[in-house]
Amino acid sequence: MPAFVGLAFLVVPLAGLLVRAPWSTLTEQLLSAEVGQALALSLVCASLATAVCVVLGVPLAWLLARGDLPGRGVLRALVTVPLVLPPVVGGVALLLVLGRRGLVGQYLHDWFGISLPFTTAGVVVAEAFVAMPFLVIAVEGALRAADPRYEEAAATLGASRWLTFRRVTLPSIAPGVVAGTVLCWARALGEFGATITFAGNFPGKTTTMPLAVYLALETDPGAAIVLSIVLLIVSIVVLVSLRDRWLRGLS
């Protein structure tokens, strides 16, 4: 009985979205300019953030799994902090570092004229900050599970470190990389707190789907439900696709 109560606690609120959805105007809502704009911006920003996470996160995962560095446990804890840190706090931290008067942002603005807060690029940065740990954890787990003897054999045959990583290590951890990438993308797509704190909420510029849901809830609950259903469908598709084929990469 407690299991069924727990299941109902998780499923019934999601089913409520479907029950209260304005099905008669659903197509009209989905084809509206506001929804299309927010969805397009969300897809672009989440994809760019995921690309940043892959470029930076895979080497970071390799460093945590195979690197011979002191204090790797502390480094791993620091990498996973965004998982438990309230996203709003992450947005404040980004603002203090990358803002126009931030520790790094002041030099970006004064020397190069680059200002990240309240821009589309700021959305990408905020989403990457929150989502990268998902990729790093998945890839690190895959690296720890991979047999290092193949890499050692490649090294004895004269392969360089880069060649060994590209031709031996990367193919062996591909399921973990794919799983981490998909989870990272899904997390970036649903990011709210860090985005609204660091990038603001400007329609067409920084208003992603979660922010559009927040805005619509105050003025047009029907549109908020439609946007929520879109995000729910994306999340379900991601989890179902990971379930049987790629989820092994996380173990």
Side-chain angles (χ1 to χ4, degrees), residues 153-226:
T156 58
L157 294 175
S160 64
R161 279 185 142 188
W162 167 242
L163 182 62
T164 301
F165 177 79
R166 184 166 54 90
R167 299 296 296 273
V168 179
T169 306
L170 197 56
S172 67
I173 65 171
V177 174
V178 173
T181 300
V182 175
L183 288 173
C184 178
W185 182 83
R187 180 63 185 89
L189 187 69
E191 168 51 33
F192 175 81
T195 302
I196 196 172
T197 306
F198 182 64
N201 192 1
F202 301 97
K205 190 176 181 181
T206 64
T207 301
T208 57
M209 289 283 284
L211 272 65
V213 172
Y214 177 76
L215 282 180
L217 192 60
E218 299 179 353
T219 57
D220 189 356
I225 294 174
V226 171

Side-chain angles (χ1 to χ4, degrees), residues 31-214:
L31 295 179
S32 66
E34 294 79 7
V35 173
Q37 196 175 56
L39 180 59
L41 183 64
S42 294
L43 293 176
V44 170
C45 290
S47 299
L48 291 175
T50 302
V52 172
C53 291
V54 170
V55 171
L56 302 179
V58 172
L60 178 57
W62 184 90
L63 181 67
L64 294 176
R66 302 288 175 83
D68 187 15
L69 292 176
R72 278 193 300 171
V74 176
L75 293 177
R76 186 176 296 107
L78 293 175
V79 169
T80 55
V81 162
L83 287 176
V84 297
L85 190 71
V88 174
V89 177
V92 172
L94 289 173
L95 199 59
L96 293 177
V97 173
L98 298 177
R100 287 192 176 185
R101 292 294 173 259
L103 298 178
V104 177
Q106 59 179 327
Y107 301 108
L108 291 176
H109 182 262
D110 295 340
W111 294 352
F112 307 104
I114 298 175
S115 179
L116 292 175
F118 312 110
T119 63
T120 303
V123 176
V124 175
V125 171
E127 291 180 350
F129 175 79
V130 174
M132 188 182 293
F134 289 86
L135 175 72
V136 174
I137 290 175
V139 176
E140 184 191 1
L143 283 167
R144 290 183 176 277
D147 192 342
R149 290 178 297 178
Y150 295 107
E151 300 172 17
E152 295 170 359
T156 58
L157 294 175
S160 64
R161 279 185 142 188
W162 167 242
L163 182 62
T164 301
F165 177 79
R166 184 166 54 90
R167 299 296 296 273
V168 179
T169 306
L170 197 56
S172 67
I173 65 171
V177 174
V178 173
T181 300
V182 175
L183 288 173
C184 178
W185 182 83
R187 180 63 185 89
L189 187 69
E191 168 51 33
F192 175 81
T195 302
I196 196 172
T197 306
F198 182 64
N201 192 1
F202 301 97
K205 190 176 181 181
T206 64
T207 301
T208 57
M209 289 283 284
L211 272 65
V213 172
Y214 177 76

